[in-house]
Amino acid sequence: LYANQTALIGHWDGFENAGRGIGDASAEIWADLTGITGDLTVNSVATFNAADGCLVRENASVVGSDSRMAYSTNAAGVTGWNTIEIVLRRTDFAAHAVVFSPNGHTDGFLAIKNSNAGSNFSKYFTVSNGFAKQGELATLTLVHDGSAWRLYQDGVSCVQNSDSEGYGSGTSTALQIGGRATNTSNYLRGRVYAVRLYSSVLSADAIAANAELDNARFVEKASCGVSL
């Protein structure tokens, strides 16, 4: 099991979600396995890959000004969260940098970008080109401890931004994955395998344990004949 199950308030998992929409490429909902927070609505720029159990966007597509792969307005009903984890393989990062946004507006937007990406976000992390290497599985963890946002990759702390504002600091509090509703650039291209939302600040040991479990689960699927 993943760490700190009692604080796990939202869990969307491609493999465990089999039969609940994940196997249907036209599905519009990615069901929340915890049943506490809202499901993730899948935007039409993304599709489900039934064999791999993941949410996919491989092309450069948006809907109007909406670049999100999936989103949940119901997640705003949670009184607060302190940790979000996302398991992904990226296709492109330099021009398509947004990974997750806990808020629906740029005032509370959190993005990950490298030096080649635009900096038109009020809150973002700047990382090197080696971050979340193209084609490789990565578990990204974002933690807010009340004074700063900290970013981890595969259980290792990478960078932090001092900021007292956590979830709900923007004008809207929708959880958005892979882009946002008001931008047609700087979005994620690749595959999302799992998203986890916690009401507590996960410890460094818990973050490392989750990343190790992710690596074992998804790499093991490849050894069983699933093409990743």
Side-chain angles (χ1 to χ4, degrees):
L1 292 177
Y2 287 99
N4 206 349
Q5 287 286 305
T6 57
L8 186 63
I9 56 176
H11 185 194
W12 303 270
D13 188 292
F15 292 135
E16 298 299 327
N17 226 8
R20 301 185 64 186
I22 197 68
D24 180 0
S26 63
E28 296 179 351
I29 294 293
W30 196 356
D32 176 16
L33 299 178
T34 69
I36 300 175
T37 63
D39 296 334
L40 283 172
T41 299
V42 178
N43 208 354
S44 58
V45 301
T47 59
F48 282 128
N49 183 306
D52 293 355
C54 60
L55 192 63
V56 182
R57 173 173 42 205
E58 299 290 4
N59 57 11
S61 61
V62 296
V63 180
S65 61
D66 190 344
S67 63
R68 299 172 293 181
M69 292 175 69
Y71 58 92
S72 174
T73 56
N74 292 330
V78 181
T79 56
W81 62 266
N82 296 93
T83 304
I84 185 172
E85 295 187 309
I86 183 168
V87 186
L88 57 81
R89 292 178 193 269
R90 70 173 184 85
T91 302
D92 186 6
F93 188 74
H96 307 282
V98 174
V99 178
F100 38 48
S101 166
N103 297 304
H105 191 269
T106 52
D107 290 343
F109 198 82
L110 282 141
I112 300 173
K113 73 181 189 69
N114 64 18
S115 58
N116 296 323
S119 58
N120 59 328
F121 306 110
S122 58
K123 295 181 175 68
Y124 57 85
F125 293 100
T126 300
V127 296
S128 68
N129 285 328
F131 183 82
K133 289 184 66 176
Q134 185 170 336
E136 295 186 4
L137 186 76
T139 297
L140 306 184
T141 305
L142 182 65
V143 176
H144 188 261
D145 61 9
S147 61
W149 291 95
R150 290 180 285 120
L151 179 65
Y152 293 76
Q153 178 184 327
D154 298 326
V156 178
S157 179
C158 297
V159 64
Q160 76 173 41
N161 286 350
S162 297
D163 194 331
S164 61
E165 291 185 330
Y167 177 77
S169 60
T171 59
S172 175
T173 50
L175 174 66
Q176 303 186 63
I177 304 298
R180 57 174 170 157
T182 58
N183 195 280
T184 59
S185 61
N186 291 19
Y187 51 81
L188 173 70
R189 287 174 63 184
R191 301 185 173 202
V192 176
Y193 294 88
V195 179
R196 296 184 294 270
L197 198 63
Y198 289 88
S199 61
S200 66
V201 177
L202 289 191
S203 67
D205 287 344
I207 291 169
N210 279 0
E212 184 176 357
L213 181 55
D214 284 332
N215 187 63
R217 288 182 70 228
F218 295 109
V219 172
E220 186 176 289
K221 283 288 184 179
S223 68
C224 293
V226 175
S227 174
L228 297 178

